[in-house]
Amino acid sequence: MGIVEEAHNVKVLGSGKRCIVLAHGFGTDQSVWKHLVPHLLDEFRVIVYDNMGAGTTNPDYFDFERYSTLDGYAYDLLAILEELRVDSCIFVGHSVSAMIGTVASVSRPDLFTKIIMISASPRYLNDTEYFGGFEHEDLDQLFNAMAANYKAWCSGFAPMAVGGDMDSVAVQEFSRTLFNMRPDIALSVLQTIFHSDMRQILNLVTVPCHIIQSMKDLAVPVVVAEYLHQHLRSHSVVEVMPTEGHLPQLSSPDIVIPVILKHICLDITSKH
């Protein structure tokens, strides 16, 4: 196993010829895909990994400067694909990883046959004629609460993000992975995500994009999915699911897994 693979806890599962990469969002790790992976093993070579800064990664490897933009994460993804000698993959990115995959695809479109985005947003802050869902004051409050008492913040944020009651398995699971992160790293990662603005790269994307979104999501308003659809240069399709929360693959797997599997098989380029 190479250095990059080890640092990101890369696992290669399944025995299919085609390759699929699953990338998680903030506060989680590769375990967020536990309901999806079993459905892919027969047909695909499945690659799962942890973003640097996840609680499962070595905090000593976290470079605050490198990960102050999404580019650092995109370089990591490309390094993983290179080390595993992947020449083409379907990329499934949840939350920030949807944008990380998009950034990577702009420099290396040949490596991606399609990008499946789950709960994705190019920008979380509201702007002139753009509704991302957050004002600067909202984010300042969020960051201050994180810095003041991380454990208490996790307990409050997890049920809001998942959109379930505190006793649900999905909330407990997200609380666990969230709490595994080192507090200063978690704060830095979330600041990078919430301050990112990827709108300007959307017209550079040439890889087909499948945009999957919950009807109700604390972090991403439904209009953001439509914004992505309108501004991506490549072919794209949107599916809004009757689910609630920012981690629907964890909280509503019975609805979400069939939708993801459908989009893995769906070819949106042949209709044009």
Side-chain angles (χ1 to χ4, degrees):
M1 185 181 270
I3 293 168
V4 177
E5 287 171 77
E6 200 171 344
H8 291 275
N9 305 316
V10 174
K11 290 188 188 69
V12 182
L13 312 158
S15 53
K17 286 191 167 58
R18 289 185 300 159
C19 190
I20 194 160
V21 177
L22 309 179
H24 67 83
F26 168 77
T28 60
D29 55 42
Q30 60 188 255
S31 66
V32 80
W33 301 112
K34 64 184 180 185
H35 299 297
L36 176 63
V37 168
H39 297 277
L40 302 173
L41 297 176
D42 290 344
E43 281 188 63
F44 293 95
R45 178 183 176 213
V46 183
I47 296 168
V48 288
Y49 71 98
D50 296 330
N51 280 323
M52 201 48 67
T56 45
T57 60
N58 184 340
D60 295 341
Y61 290 158
F62 189 82
D63 180 331
F64 285 87
E65 191 174 337
R66 177 183 173 91
Y67 299 111
S68 63
T69 72
L70 300 191
D71 291 345
Y73 296 98
Y75 294 139
D76 287 352
L77 168 59
L78 293 173
I80 290 167
L81 297 180
E82 188 179 337
E83 205 162 270
L84 293 174
R85 300 200 170 114
V86 172
D87 54 11
S88 170
C89 74
I90 292 172
F91 181 83
V92 182
H94 171 237
S95 191
V96 67
S97 278
M99 286 299 120
I100 291 166
T102 305
V103 173
S105 81
V106 170
S107 60
R108 289 296 307 275
D110 54 303
L111 294 177
F112 301 88
T113 54
K114 72 169 73 171
I115 296 172
I116 296 176
M117 307 176 163
I118 301 165
S119 315
S121 176
R123 179 181 165 95
Y124 296 88
L125 274 165
N126 299 331
D127 199 359
T128 317
E129 294 180 19
Y130 175 81
F131 183 70
F134 294 88
E135 296 291 346
H136 281 285
E137 302 77 57
D138 303 328
L139 298 186
D140 289 342
Q141 284 179 339
L142 185 79
F143 300 145
N144 290 338
M146 274 182 97
N149 186 335
Y150 185 64
K151 189 173 186 180
W153 177 82
C154 289
S155 303
F157 182 73
M160 284 198 307
V162 174
D165 60 281
M166 200 55 220
D167 301 328
S168 80
V169 177
V171 170
Q172 289 171 3
E173 180 72 6
F174 185 46
S175 301
R176 177 185 68 78
T177 54
L178 199 55
F179 194 59
N180 274 346
M181 294 181 80
R182 208 173 77 187
D184 58 330
I185 290 175
L187 179 58
S188 175
V189 172
L190 201 58
Q191 285 173 330
T192 294
I193 292 169
F194 273 137
H195 290 140
S196 65
D197 188 350
M198 296 289 121
R199 291 176 299 174
Q200 71 284 358
I201 71 154
L202 299 179
N203 68 347
L204 303 175
V205 178
T206 55
V207 175
C209 293
H210 298 242
I211 304 153
I212 301 173
Q213 174 66 36
S214 282
M215 203 159 37
K216 190 176 173 196
D217 180 343
L218 161 92
V220 185
V222 171
V223 289
V224 170
E226 192 52 39
Y227 180 91
L228 283 167
H229 181 49
Q230 298 293 345
H231 290 81
L232 282 158
R233 178 175 147 200
S234 59
H235 293 305
S236 64
V237 63
V238 178
E239 179 153 356
V240 177
M241 303 175 294
T243 51
E244 192 176 318
H246 191 60
L247 298 96
Q249 73 275 47
L250 203 57
S251 57
S252 307
D254 49 335
I255 296 172
V256 178
I257 302 309
V259 171
I260 298 174
L261 294 173
K262 177 182 80 180
H263 283 278
I264 286 169
C265 298
L266 186 66
D267 177 9
I268 57 172
T269 57
S270 60
K271 295 173 190 169
H272 296 269

